[in-house]
Amino acid sequence: MGAILHKLISIHGIGKFCKYDLVKPGWNGIFSDCNAIYADNGSGKTTFTQILKSLSKESDIKTLQKRKSFDYSEDVLIDMLASNGSSFRTLRFNGRKWNQYLCDIIAFDSYFVEDNVYVIDLEDAGAV
């Protein structure tokens, strides 16, 4: 079994997450096998899913780099922990690339639906 995403530590300089560190009570940053994220529009959900996508596919890095926070002069930095069951390792994004990548991360967002779901409208085809 490969490594799985275990915990979010910090996000600095991406979208709304200028200096996000896990210090708020309510969530310890540890992921489950399947996670649902819901929040108000404009709260950073799409940015967060883009972070996850870039962690699993190197080709998504350029899209993540375009999300650098406005007026953020420090280096972009994202830290997470991965687990292989017996040990942990740090996953770090330094603004250019991750120090390692994980597979098997699926971010089921509107972009996923747009790319992978085809909807047929029978009314438009004259079938009704």
Side-chain angles (χ1 to χ4, degrees):
M1 180 175 155
I4 60 170
L5 189 59
H6 176 70
K7 182 176 184 173
L8 170 65
I9 298 170
S10 65
I11 305 171
H12 293 188
I14 297 289
K16 290 199 164 258
F17 305 104
C18 286
K19 291 194 178 204
Y20 181 82
D21 293 301
L22 275 175
V23 293
K24 294 182 180 180
W27 185 48
N28 60 5
I30 296 175
F31 295 103
S32 299
D33 291 339
C34 182
N35 299 273
I37 299 171
Y38 55 94
D40 294 333
N41 288 339
S43 61
K45 297 181 303 291
T46 302
T47 299
F48 187 70
T49 58
Q50 190 59 52
I51 291 169
L52 295 177
K53 288 177 188 180
S54 75
L55 183 57
S56 64
K57 281 179 50 182
E58 192 172 356
S59 60
D60 285 323
I61 293 287
K62 290 182 182 176
T63 306
L64 181 60
Q65 290 170 327
K66 292 177 184 176
R67 291 186 175 271
K68 183 175 179 180
S69 301
F70 293 118
D71 295 329
Y72 189 80
S73 58
E74 298 174 38
D75 292 335
V76 171
L77 186 63
I78 303 170
D79 283 320
M80 296 190 186
L81 280 181
S83 168
N84 67 3
S86 61
S87 65
F88 295 97
R89 63 179 183 240
T90 301
L91 304 172
R92 175 166 278 180
F93 180 74
N94 63 9
R96 294 181 312 280
K97 63 179 185 170
W98 287 96
N99 63 337
Q100 56 190 349
Y101 295 88
L102 297 179
C103 59
D104 300 332
I105 294 178
I106 298 173
F108 190 79
D109 59 1
S110 60
Y111 297 107
F112 179 90
V113 172
E114 185 176 304
D115 291 343
N116 296 288
V117 177
Y118 184 72
V119 178
I120 299 172
D121 186 349
L122 296 177
E123 194 170 298
D124 289 342
V128 179

